[in-house]
Amino acid sequence: MSILMAQVVSPPTILVSVDTQTHKASSKPLKRTQKSNTSISTKRKVPRSPLDRTQKLNLEVSPHRAVSAVRLMRIELGGAFADLLNEKGKGSGGNEMAYVERSLGFRTKELDDRDLRLVTDVVGGTIRWRRYLDHLICSLCHDEKTFRSMEPLLLQILRIGFYEIVKLDMPPYAVVDENVTLAKVALRPGAGNLVNGILRKLVRVKEDNSLPLPKLEGDDRAQARALATLYSHPVWMVRRWTKYLGQEEAIKLMVWNNSHPSFSLRANNGKGVTRADLAMQLNLLKVPHELSLHLDDFIRVKTGLQNVIQAGLLKEGLCAVQDESAVQLIQTLYNSISMSCQMTSGLVVSVVDPQPGESIVDCCAAPGGKTLYMASRLSGQGMVYAIDINEGRLRILRETAKSHQVDSVITTIHADLRHFSDNNVMKYDKVLLDAPCSGLGVLSKRADLRWNRRLEDLEQLKNLQDDLLDAASLLVKPGGVLIYSTCSIDPEENEERVDTFLLRHPEFSIDPADRFVPSDFITKRGFYSSDPVKHSLDGAFAARLIWAL
Ligand SMILES: C[S@@+](CC[C@H](N)C(=O)[O-])C[C@H]1O[C@@H](n2cnc3c(N)ncnc32)[C@H](O)[C@@H]1O
């Protein structure tokens, strides 16, 4: 029996989760006075009696909307990260309903599988389309003041209703009724009336094909603002992409960022699992999938990831959820500026080209997507030294390495790379710097990132990337290779960082990556670059820099 055959368990019941972590203030297109009159405290309360619980049960409220509203409140007010995966099951239906009860004061029926899928769609979509939805809501409010002073929960309920009607094309009058009920029960009857009035207006203008949306006209600034609303991105991103890519490509990129993300699974060869084994398992679990065109170990999954999670395939280390472009482990939730770079990926490891017997340093390694993949390619010979400044993330790396059975070829080092390099005398065959970056290549998977990232972050990140590149270069042995990678599509974080590095370090030169990845991914200068629009993959970049003898 295949190693995977034994892993099938009962059908899945969970998919999504949200964690509460501190984020920077979000850049809101329309500023509103945030008058929070709804508690979303996570403090534990004394358990209620069964009678009390029954009294709080309200079966009229649709469960996916109650859960979505609370989750959106946590994300916006609590700064939570809208992760789409949580294999530990924190996002299970039961927990979600307990959270609804603590936040809104009532429970409704438990989420079934369909509700869970809807929560994923509604929460991710409502976050992505926030600017667009707020524009419509504001336009259909009695006056702008009503919108600006709207209480947070009421606004979330409206956003959900607008998203369901405009973007999910759900039956409009059912959406109106359900969201009115939610507003009445969670807030008060007057709130229900307001939701009713605004949603009915929306239904009318949608039926008349006259949604009040901005026109693409005027000067560059006006056009950027219109595009930012129409495609729901911050204006600064639109201006930047229009400058680098042109308007047409910028629009395509935004369309990609707003699309439903797909995920890839990497069969863990380190544990003897082949891609064929994994595909067979996915068939048994009825998870639709397709084989990666670019990497032998990878399979793409658009829906049904919760089945994989519930079947325990990730927990057992039989496969990992990783993106093909840069192979980063998508496993759990982290904060910090580097959070956005979680999805970097597999083809970057191909650019590193790990060979058995080599000593490889992964300078910014945690949570370990690339470390694990590189380790699995060493066939038990050689060593990956995984450095990271974040001990919590390194712990995850160690645990996953154990479950993937590649821990014998991984040594973790908790250190700031800048200090480690200064004090280290050892030199290594290959040094990978997967640098902290803006994450502008992975916006389709990180629904909330566009609202948390600011233009000013880029300057800070570029300085850090330069410092880390200098530090990483000290670890390369003569004749060795330094690989610089990001999960960004921004030339200032990619080519420009390499160019300034080469000016500071003329002993290094570009080693074209065309020997390691398909030529479709190779730029004129020999760098690896995945383009979300062109390749339907996360955006990522990698440069091989060789210390010529
Ligand atoms: C892009 S993420 C790395 C993702 C990882 N390579 C993977 O594939 O899973 C960047 C990492 O850099 C780490 N980092 C940031 N500054 C650092 C520093 N000065 N020294 C070492 N690690 C650092 C962060 O903790 C974060 O884990």
Side-chain angles (χ1 to χ4, degrees):
M1 188 168 59
S2 154
I3 190 164
L4 278 165
M5 292 285 279
Q7 298 299 323
V8 187
V9 291
S10 55
T13 53
I14 63 157
L15 171 56
V16 291
S17 76
V18 172
D19 197 8
T20 49
Q21 297 184 0
T22 309
H23 270 216
K24 288 178 216 128
S26 51
S27 55
K28 292 190 184 57
L30 291 159
K31 291 203 169 44
R32 299 172 313 97
T33 320
Q34 297 242 314
K35 221 174 35 170
S36 175
N37 64 355
T38 302
S39 158
I40 59 160
S41 156
T42 55
K43 277 186 201 152
R44 284 184 175 278
K45 290 189 178 159
V46 182
R48 296 196 175 94
S49 71
L51 181 64
D52 194 10
R53 174 174 274 223
T54 320
Q55 283 166 348
K56 302 264 178 195
L57 189 66
N58 189 321
L59 296 176
E60 282 174 25
V61 176
S62 85
H64 88 260
R65 293 188 178 89
V67 169
S68 300
V70 168
R71 197 177 282 190
L72 287 164
M73 292 278 286
R74 289 168 67 190
I75 291 162
E76 187 152 318
L77 297 183
F81 170 57
D83 200 290
L84 298 174
L85 302 166
N86 187 340
E87 63 199 79
K88 293 195 177 112
K90 279 187 204 157
S92 70
N95 289 346
E96 292 284 357
M97 209 41 77
Y99 206 83
V100 167
E101 186 178 7
R102 286 205 300 276
S103 310
L104 304 183
F106 67 89
R107 304 174 73 85
T108 179
K109 53 177 203 300
E110 297 298 330
L111 300 169
D112 60 23
D113 284 355
R114 183 180 165 273
D115 293 324
L116 281 161
R117 278 193 296 277
L118 274 170
V119 171
T120 308
D121 275 3
V122 168
V123 172
T126 305
I127 294 171
R128 282 190 182 86
W129 286 100
R130 193 177 80 190
R131 185 184 177 100
Y132 172 95
L133 299 173
D134 283 2
H135 172 88
L136 287 181
I137 295 169
C138 184
S139 307
L140 297 177
C141 271
H142 184 257
D143 53 32
E144 204 176 310
K145 193 165 158 261
T146 311
F147 173 79
R148 290 187 193 285
S149 58
M150 201 173 272
E151 62 210 86
L153 179 57
L154 184 54
L155 178 62
Q156 298 304 352
I157 294 171
L158 278 170
R159 283 177 180 160
I160 291 171
F162 271 60
Y163 178 70
E164 290 181 332
I165 290 170
V166 179
K167 293 293 175 191
L168 291 186
D169 274 324
M170 288 169 85
Y173 290 102
V175 172
V176 176
D177 287 350
E178 298 278 354
N179 283 293
V180 167
T181 305
L182 174 58
K184 280 187 176 161
V185 175
L187 289 163
R188 59 194 170 276
N193 296 340
L194 185 85
V195 170
N196 189 37
I198 299 178
L199 283 181
R200 277 175 191 275
K201 264 196 220 170
L202 173 69
V203 175
R204 279 198 300 276
V205 292
K206 190 182 175 227
E207 279 170 0
D208 294 348
N209 214 2
S210 59
L211 289 178
L213 289 168
K215 294 215 166 16
L216 192 54
E217 59 192 13
D219 63 10
D220 288 355
R221 273 173 185 277
Q223 292 202 18
R225 273 200 305 275
L227 285 175
T229 300
L230 292 169
Y231 295 96
S232 201
H233 279 72
V235 177
W236 75 264
M237 286 185 193
V238 178
R239 287 178 66 80
R240 201 165 177 85
W241 294 334
T242 306
K243 173 176 144 196
Y244 284 124
L245 308 170
Q247 194 177 84
E248 204 177 314
E249 289 301 308
I251 290 174
K252 285 188 196 159
L253 179 59
M254 290 190 281
V255 170
W256 165 267
N257 292 340
N258 288 336
S259 65
H260 191 68
S262 63
F263 293 90
S264 295
L265 297 174
R266 175 173 67 80
N268 182 13
N269 295 336
K271 223 166 174 168
V273 181
T274 65
R275 181 162 79 169
D277 291 331
L278 185 56
M280 187 167 64
Q281 190 65 27
L282 294 175
N283 285 334
L284 289 172
L285 291 168
K286 297 193 170 44
V287 172
H289 58 274
E290 55 189 52
L291 303 185
S292 163
L293 298 176
H294 313 297
L295 288 159
D296 292 346
D297 313 338
F298 283 69
I299 297 184
R300 276 197 210 185
V301 173
K302 191 95 185 169
T303 59
L305 200 54
Q306 70 270 40
N307 302 32
V308 178
I309 294 167
Q310 286 297 90
L313 304 191
L314 301 179
K315 205 167 173 198
E316 300 301 319
L318 303 175
C319 62
V321 182
Q322 294 187 303
D323 186 76
E324 290 163 54
S325 61
V327 173
Q328 172 132 13
L329 203 61
I330 304 164
Q331 173 175 291
T332 181
L333 309 170
Y334 312 97
N335 55 10
S336 95
I337 203 156
S338 53
M339 178 72 216
S340 57
C341 293
Q342 276 186 62
M343 318 297 180
T344 54
S345 56
L347 288 158
V348 168
V349 169
S350 297
V351 173
V352 178
D353 186 36
Q355 295 296 328
E358 283 182 339
S359 62
I360 302 174
V361 184
D362 189 350
C363 291
C364 287
K370 295 181 192 66
T371 301
L372 297 173
Y373 192 27
M374 291 193 290
S376 78
R377 288 171 66 156
L378 289 185
S379 306
Q381 298 159 50
M383 185 59 69
V384 180
Y385 298 89
I387 302 173
D388 205 280
I389 199 168
N390 185 318
E391 171 61 10
R393 286 161 68 96
L394 268 184
R395 198 176 53 243
I396 293 166
L397 188 159
R398 278 193 294 273
E399 283 164 10
T400 324
K402 244 191 204 136
S403 81
H404 281 219
Q405 291 177 1
V406 287
D407 49 324
S408 63
V409 287
I410 294 176
T411 303
T412 58
I413 300 168
H414 177 213
D416 182 327
L417 178 70
R418 294 164 291 192
H419 304 150
F420 177 82
S421 306
D422 281 346
N423 302 319
N424 185 63
V425 287
M426 285 271 292
K427 304 286 174 201
Y428 306 85
D429 298 314
K430 285 173 181 158
V431 176
L432 168 64
L433 173 63
D434 185 33
C437 70
S438 64
L440 290 180
V442 297
L443 295 185
S444 82
K445 291 209 174 75
R446 289 288 318 276
D448 59 337
L449 182 61
R450 70 187 72 174
W451 308 122
N452 297 322
R453 184 59 78 212
R454 295 164 308 151
L455 181 58
E456 303 85 87
D457 296 343
L458 282 185
E459 282 314 307
Q460 223 183 321
L461 283 164
K462 278 158 43 182
N463 290 335
L464 179 61
Q465 288 155 358
D466 287 344
D467 290 349
L468 293 175
L469 259 170
D470 289 343
S473 70
L474 297 176
L475 301 174
V476 182
K477 71 178 186 198
V481 186
L482 170 62
I483 299 96
Y484 172 71
S485 70
T486 70
C487 59
S488 175
I489 48 166
D490 198 287
E492 293 184 23
E493 291 186 276
N494 297 337
E495 289 87 345
E496 193 182 294
R497 300 286 48 80
V498 172
D499 287 338
T500 55
F501 172 80
L502 291 175
L503 285 176
R504 294 193 303 277
H505 297 270
E507 70 277 19
F508 281 88
S509 58
I510 297 168
D511 180 27
D514 54 358
R515 308 193 303 286
F516 309 102
V517 289
S519 57
D520 199 29
F521 291 97
I522 300 297
T523 69
K524 283 195 186 109
R525 299 182 60 200
F527 301 137
Y528 160 80
S529 166
S530 55
D531 172 344
V533 174
K534 182 172 163 198
H535 301 111
S536 301
L537 288 178
D538 283 343
F541 171 88
R544 272 177 75 94
L545 306 169
I546 199 158
W547 183 352
L549 284 172

